[in-house]
């Protein structure tokens, strides 16, 4: 609550208005890019802002590079489950457990 996410690309704030290829989830802060193009290559930095406290923090830059051979590489299927050892919930409330999977 009260957090907003923006991304900086090569020192400029990403303007995503009218951009059908890129999307920032305001729930997770994740940046999604569809159909990566050569001009997408560069450094991406996440900025999280707490609007109530009027403070923001930057993550480290994450470089995006294109492989010259056009191959993504072979990845063994991998599933990461990020659950705390114990999850507490009030009776009748909702609980969300997330699972992330990679593979080819």
């Amino acid at each position: 609550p009260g957090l907003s996410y923006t991304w900086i690309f090569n020192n400029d704030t990403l303007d995503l208005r009218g951009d059908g290829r890129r999307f920032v989830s305001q729930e997770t802060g994740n940046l999604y890019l569809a159909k990566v193009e050569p001009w997408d290559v560069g450094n991406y930095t996440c900025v999280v802002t707490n609007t109530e406290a009027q403070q923001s923090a930057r993550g480290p830059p994450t470089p995006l590079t294109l492989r010259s051979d056009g191959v993504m590489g072979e990845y063994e299927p991998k599933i990461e489950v990020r659950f705390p050892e114990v999850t507490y919930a009030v009776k009748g409330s909702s609980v969300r457990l997330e699972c992330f999977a990679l593979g080819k």
Side-chain angles (χ1 to χ4, degrees):
L3 297 180
S4 66
Y5 302 93
T6 55
W7 281 82
I8 296 174
F9 173 61
N10 293 336
N11 298 320
D12 291 320
T13 300
L14 271 177
D15 182 8
L16 302 179
R17 292 174 295 189
D19 188 334
R21 288 188 324 108
R22 298 179 293 185
F23 167 76
V24 175
S25 167
Q26 289 304 312
E27 186 173 324
T28 64
N30 293 344
L31 170 65
Y32 298 91
L33 284 88
K35 299 180 183 174
V36 174
E37 298 288 348
W39 52 83
D40 293 321
V41 169
N43 288 309
Y44 291 83
T45 304
C46 179
V47 180
V48 181
T49 303
N50 182 324
T51 52
E52 293 174 13
Q54 296 181 346
Q55 292 183 338
S56 62
R58 281 185 186 211
T62 301
L64 174 68
T65 58
L66 291 181
R67 290 186 57 131
S68 59
D69 59 11
V71 176
M72 284 297 295
E74 296 295 324
Y75 297 99
E76 293 182 21
K78 174 176 129 180
I79 296 177
E80 296 177 15
V81 181
R82 298 178 187 164
F83 300 138
E85 295 224 358
V86 176
T87 300
Y88 296 95
V90 175
K91 183 179 178 180
S93 68
S94 298
V95 174
R96 182 171 134 185
L97 304 176
E98 294 185 38
C99 182
F100 178 73
L102 287 173
K104 181 173 180 177

